[in-house]
Structures are given as structure tokens and as C-alpha cells.
Amino acid sequence: MRALRILLIVTVILGGLFVIADRVAVGFAEDEAADRLKTNEGLATTPDVSIKGFPFLTQVAGGELDEVEVGIKDYEADTSGATGGTGGGAPAKIRIDNLDARMKGVAFSGDYSSAKAASATGTATISYDELLKAAKAEPVDVATGVTAKVVGLSDGGNGKIKVEVEATVLGTKLPRPVSVLSSVSVKGDTVEVRADSLPNLGVQLAEDRVRLITDFRQKIDGLPGGIRIDKVEAADKGVDIGVKGSNVSLVG
């Protein structure tokens, strides 16, 4: 009985030491991955990296991690400029808020210099102020005597975006911006905003002329690790986006 008691005590101690070692190792790995991701993506702040699953050390021995979560508070994605809308002058970067990605099946190289996930899904938000940059420019000549531009984007409820247009007709500025509810969608790597109905700018204009103002598109590429936009939905503070990808590079 005494020998059995000693064996149990030793087993508990060794198990505790293994857990401590495992947690120390995973903490070090998370910090290292976060620093490398910050450098590789040119981030202003260090992202949050969380390695899931236990024990970590046995996952390392197998050369693959079950799941890794990455959180980036502010990410500046590359753009290819806006098309449609008032267009022109769109920024080369667009800020994406709270980009959270869940990566599954993360395999890494023997020297740990690179890691790639079999699949990844995630969420993020593009604020209305950021998306407005894709439409906002100098007023456009919609037709003889009529100029207009988008001056505001906000939540229109029921998954719609409220688009506010400021117009000047024959030299007279309309007393207040006119608004229209628009739908948002994604095609490939491009976010598209299209008016469900057209605003009354004070004169009768052909639909295609008015849509030069109300409708616009913003291409977004250069997301981290090669993930891509999968879906979009209008929300309170901006457009919520879903992202996904395969063979996504975590580091290296």
C-alpha cells in the first residue's frame, strides 16, 4: 500500500509538471506566432493568437495544431479603388475592424519557420465611415444642371444601408440630403452597394444617371494569409463581413 501511495503521488506530481510545461510552451508559441504575424503583415499592433487543444506538446510532436484563433483589432487591407458611385480618389487602404479568424489543421514546417492552415473562417467589420470613402468624392455632374454626391452611410434596418445623397439642381442646393435604402452584397473580392429604389433629386433623370451616384463598389484584397470575403451584411455600426479560405498562411 505504501508503494502504491508513493506511485500515485509521483504520478500526480509528474502530471502537474507536464501540465505546467505544456502551458508554458503554448504561451511561448502564441507569443512567437503573434510577433511573426505582426511582422509578416506589417501590423501596427500585435495580434492575439490563441492555440486551442490539449495537450499542446503532443500536437507539436505530430506536426499539426488542431485549431488556432487569431484576432486583429485594426487591419488595413489593400484596395483597387472604387468603381461606380461618385468614385475616384478612393484610398489605397481600407481599415477593417476586429478581424477574428479560426484556423483548423495548422501544419508547420520542421524548423517552425512557416505554418499553414487547411481551412479558415472568420468575421470582421467595415465601418460606414470607411465604406463611405469608396463613394465619396467631388460632386458628379449627373445631368445638365444637376450635380450630386453621397454624403453619408448608416444602418437602414432590416439588413439595408441608408445612403444619403446631397444634390444641387440648377445652382440651387436641395434643402436637405435625400436618402435611399440600399442592399449590400459581395461578388468575388468586391463589396457592392446598390440602391433598392432611386432618390428624387428634384428633376426627372434616367435611372442609369442617378445610379452613377447611389451605386458603388469597393474591391478588397490583400487580407491576411490569403483569406477572402465570403459574405456581407449591413449592421448597426457598419458592414459585417464573413471571411474564409483554404491553405491559409499563418506565418512564413
Side-chain angles (χ1 to χ4, degrees):
M1 290 295 293
R2 179 181 175 82
L4 179 59
R5 188 181 300 113
I6 293 174
L7 178 61
L8 288 174
I9 292 173
V10 170
T11 300
V12 170
I13 292 174
L14 291 177
L17 292 175
F18 175 78
V19 171
I20 293 172
D22 190 81
R23 294 301 88 190
V24 170
V26 76
F28 175 80
E30 288 170 344
D31 291 343
E32 183 69 16
D35 288 341
R36 290 194 184 187
L37 184 58
K38 178 183 178 182
T39 300
N40 290 348
E41 298 294 339
L43 304 177
T45 59
T46 303
D48 294 325
V49 175
S50 179
I51 299 174
K52 303 299 180 181
F54 179 84
F56 166 70
L57 292 175
T58 59
Q59 294 183 68
V60 172
E64 182 176 303
L65 305 177
D66 296 336
E67 181 177 347
V68 178
E69 292 184 354
V70 176
I72 303 175
K73 185 176 181 181
D74 295 310
Y75 182 81
E76 289 193 338
D78 294 329
T79 74
S80 299
T83 56
T86 50
K93 299 281 187 179
I94 187 167
R95 192 182 76 249
I96 297 178
D97 300 326
N98 302 320
L99 175 58
D100 295 315
R102 293 169 296 282
M103 302 184 178
K104 299 289 186 70
V106 181
F108 45 86
S109 60
D111 60 359
Y112 307 110
S113 62
S114 64
K116 184 170 290 187
S119 64
T121 58
T123 59
T125 299
I126 302 175
S127 72
Y128 287 120
D129 286 343
E130 282 295 304
L131 192 58
L132 180 61
K133 296 175 183 179
K136 190 174 183 179
E138 293 302 316
V140 125
D141 186 358
V142 181
T144 303
V146 180
T147 58
K149 68 175 180 178
V150 174
V151 294
L153 299 176
S154 59
D155 179 26
N158 297 318
K160 302 294 183 181
I161 295 177
K162 182 180 179 182
V163 179
E164 293 188 325
V165 178
E166 185 179 87
T168 299
V169 180
L170 299 176
T172 301
K173 183 178 178 180
L174 296 185
R176 63 182 63 85
V178 294
S179 62
V180 61
L181 293 179
S182 299
S183 297
V184 59
S185 61
V186 60
K187 292 184 179 179
D189 54 8
T190 301
V191 176
E192 299 189 352
V193 177
R194 179 177 174 84
D196 293 350
S197 60
L198 298 177
N200 182 359
L201 299 181
V203 294
Q204 187 66 36
L205 295 172
E207 177 177 333
D208 59 344
R209 302 300 296 176
V210 181
R211 288 194 179 278
L212 289 174
I213 302 299
T214 60
D215 299 355
F216 60 92
R217 300 182 294 276
Q218 177 63 69
K219 185 174 182 180
I220 300 174
D221 45 30
L223 291 176
I227 57 176
R228 303 179 71 84
I229 298 176
D230 177 45
K231 58 184 178 180
V232 293
E233 182 179 3
D236 290 344
K237 297 181 180 180
V239 174
D240 289 342
I241 65 175
V243 299
K244 69 176 182 180
S246 56
N247 295 322
V248 174
S249 177
L250 177 60
V251 294

